Amino acid sequence: MLKKFILKNYKNFKDEISINFENTAGYQFSTDCVINGTISKMLIYGRNATGKTNLGNALMDIQATMFDISHYIGGSTILNADSTGNSAQFSYEFGFDDKVLIYRYARFSGQELKEEELIIDGVTIFKCNFESGKYEFENLNYINAEIANIDRYLQSMNVDGEEEIREFKLPFLRWMISNVALNNDSILIKLSNFVRRMRMTTAGNGMLMRARRINDTFNESLEDPVRLKDLEDFLNDMGIECRLALKNLPDGRKELYFLHEKLVPFYETASSGTFSLVDLYRKLLLRSWNPSFIYLDEFDAFYHYEMAEKVISYFSRRYPKCQIIMTSHNTNLMTNRLMRPDCLFILSKSGTLTALCNATERELREGHNLEKMYISGEFERYE
């Protein structure tokens, strides 16, 4: 699991911001929010423009580094506009079984790395400084990767080459995972499996506005009666009482309907909240998979607060071992019935992230009305 994340000089986060998933307060209620002392379900509140989406993009940046799966739109500008630093800094700490893995790197831009470092159980496995051209690979044997052809990697980096290659430098961790025969129980394989199963999404009602091709693909996937029933059950669990039917059109396409005495076209009559739910289903629930980490950004933008509560409960039940971070403006969700004070956070305009249990001098208990305290200004200095 992800144990800690540290970020600095990234977009609106000029100073260091960190999420310590192991910083729990020992509450004996809403225990499903914590697994083995690590926060698995987290809800972040923040005013507009505090950086909730930027924080999610930063957490997902490791996919771009390890697998070239970029989450940047337009490309390159990631540095804080008021900072004099030339790079954004990322640090991820993972726990796999009894081992601790720390992967750190710095970026000049969305495409170009400045440096990277891998540490396992306190041992520096490798360190690369792409700016200065200094590389350290002394402890690859610690992870049984001493057979890695370092000369080939350095050659690909054009180290000591006569001509300057303008291509962006290849992260060594990405190269090693792709080019070294690692043991099946290698901690790097576990890291790779975790990072590949990370997802970020912003819930919306854009299915109707999406290209027909995307909706056609989604409709075709519902041709499996098990999937169609799963979508129907999901909507009913969320409080949308309905029955669904999928029919073939004369042109060969599939069309989704509400099933009543007559068939009612789904995309022509569904509410914005229902579209948002189906879009969420399409992005995260349609396929059979085992996610490791999900960032749901403003997931409840189109939901009544009761439906938002149902979504939180549903994801907690469906993915009990997955780490899920949700962002919201909905203070109705600030309740101990769903979460707990060490899993509810406030993201401030100054770029600090504070758990509610650390945002007041009171000892927060299960009976406290957290929403009322929030509205009355109890946590105001942390916004």
Side-chain angles (χ1 to χ4, degrees):
M1 299 183 75
L2 183 58
K3 300 290 187 179
K4 191 172 184 179
F5 175 69
I6 302 175
L7 178 69
K8 185 177 181 180
N9 195 26
Y10 177 85
K11 296 193 174 181
N12 59 298
F13 300 110
K14 177 182 178 181
D15 300 318
E16 182 176 288
I17 181 173
S18 66
I19 306 177
N20 187 346
F21 293 89
E22 293 187 301
N23 189 14
T24 61
Y27 291 104
Q28 298 304 305
F29 55 89
S30 297
T31 54
D32 59 337
C33 294
V34 175
I35 298 177
N36 297 326
T38 302
I39 296 174
S40 65
K41 306 295 180 289
M42 177 186 294
L43 190 57
I44 296 177
Y45 291 86
R47 297 181 184 273
N48 292 329
T50 55
K52 298 185 295 298
T53 301
N54 288 340
L55 182 60
N57 285 327
L59 278 159
M60 298 299 298
D61 188 90
I62 190 172
Q63 285 192 331
T65 305
M66 289 183 61
F67 305 115
D68 198 24
I69 303 174
S70 180
H71 296 267
Y72 297 111
I73 299 175
S76 57
T77 304
I78 65 171
L79 303 184
N80 180 272
D82 296 320
S83 172
T84 58
N86 67 353
S87 64
Q89 295 147 40
F90 304 77
S91 176
Y92 301 80
E93 180 177 324
F94 295 91
F96 298 110
D97 298 326
D98 58 343
K99 291 184 175 296
V100 176
L101 180 152
I102 298 175
Y103 184 46
R104 299 172 181 158
Y105 58 86
R107 285 188 174 282
F108 291 118
S109 67
Q111 292 84 21
E112 188 174 6
L113 284 183
K114 176 182 179 181
E115 58 191 8
E116 69 170 328
E117 179 181 16
L118 179 68
I119 302 170
I120 298 176
D121 291 340
V123 177
T124 299
I125 307 303
F126 69 80
K127 183 184 293 187
C128 300
N129 189 315
F130 304 108
E131 183 179 33
S132 65
K134 295 181 179 179
Y135 303 88
E136 300 175 18
F137 304 108
E138 284 76 13
N139 292 315
L140 295 181
N141 62 313
Y142 191 82
I143 55 172
N144 298 318
E146 62 272 18
I147 62 173
N149 192 331
I150 301 302
D151 290 339
R152 179 176 295 178
Y153 172 72
L154 294 177
Q155 185 180 15
S156 72
M157 304 292 288
N158 198 40
V159 174
D160 297 328
E162 295 181 358
E163 297 182 2
E164 180 181 355
I165 296 178
R166 294 186 179 181
E167 295 180 0
F168 297 124
K169 303 303 184 182
L170 178 66
F172 182 68
L173 180 59
R174 185 197 305 175
W175 182 90
M176 186 164 53
I177 290 175
S178 300
N179 292 276
V180 177
L182 300 168
N183 297 331
N184 290 334
D185 62 348
S186 168
I187 191 171
L188 295 190
I189 296 298
K190 295 176 182 178
L191 172 66
S192 175
N193 289 338
F194 185 97
V195 174
R196 285 188 184 277
R197 293 182 290 115
M198 295 173 67
R199 292 291 183 275
M200 175 182 173
T201 185
T202 299
N205 65 345
M207 286 201 68
L208 185 61
M209 296 179 288
R210 293 182 185 278
R212 168 59 72 175
R213 178 180 56 82
I214 297 178
N215 284 345
D216 285 347
T217 302
F218 175 67
N219 288 345
E220 289 173 3
S221 70
L222 298 177
E223 193 170 12
D224 182 346
V226 175
R227 286 182 174 175
L228 182 63
K229 184 63 166 58
D230 189 53
L231 173 59
E232 181 180 284
D233 290 343
F234 171 66
L235 292 177
N236 279 277
D237 284 346
M238 297 302 105
I240 309 296
E241 296 183 7
C242 65
R243 289 187 299 158
L244 300 177
L246 193 71
K247 298 296 181 180
N248 292 318
L249 298 180
D251 61 2
R253 292 187 296 107
K254 314 292 181 183
E255 193 64 43
L256 186 62
Y257 294 91
F258 289 114
L259 182 59
H260 295 277
E261 291 297 327
K262 297 181 179 179
L263 293 177
V264 179
F266 179 88
Y267 295 109
E268 296 178 15
T269 58
S271 68
S272 60
T274 302
F275 276 126
S276 181
L277 285 173
V278 174
D279 196 42
L280 187 63
Y281 181 90
R282 180 188 65 83
K283 292 175 179 175
L284 296 175
L285 303 171
L286 177 61
R287 56 192 175 126
S288 298
W289 70 309
N290 182 26
S292 60
F293 185 98
I294 297 175
Y295 195 94
L296 289 175
D297 186 33
E298 296 189 1
F299 75 102
D300 58 338
F302 299 92
Y303 303 158
H304 183 271
Y305 79 91
E306 290 182 348
M307 182 181 290
E309 290 185 4
K310 292 178 185 293
V311 170
I312 293 176
S313 298
Y314 184 88
F315 271 84
S316 296
R317 294 193 310 271
R318 183 140 178 173
Y319 302 127
K321 296 182 179 181
C322 176
Q323 288 180 280
I324 301 177
I325 296 180
M326 296 158 280
T327 72
S328 176
H329 296 133
N330 187 350
T331 59
N332 290 112
L333 302 178
M334 195 175 283
T335 169
N336 288 322
R337 290 186 294 102
L338 290 173
M339 307 290 282
R340 41 191 266 183
D342 54 353
C343 298
L344 292 163
F345 286 76
I346 297 174
L347 181 61
S348 73
K349 292 181 179 180
S350 61
T352 60
L353 190 67
T354 309
L356 291 194
C357 61
N358 298 322
T360 177
E361 295 181 358
R362 300 193 198 188
E363 182 181 349
L364 298 181
R365 301 180 180 179
E366 186 173 7
H368 277 111
N369 187 324
L370 301 179
E371 180 188 19
K372 185 176 181 180
M373 293 175 65
Y374 178 84
I375 294 174
S376 67
E378 180 73 23
F379 315 112
E380 187 174 21
R381 62 183 175 138
Y382 292 93
E383 288 192 292

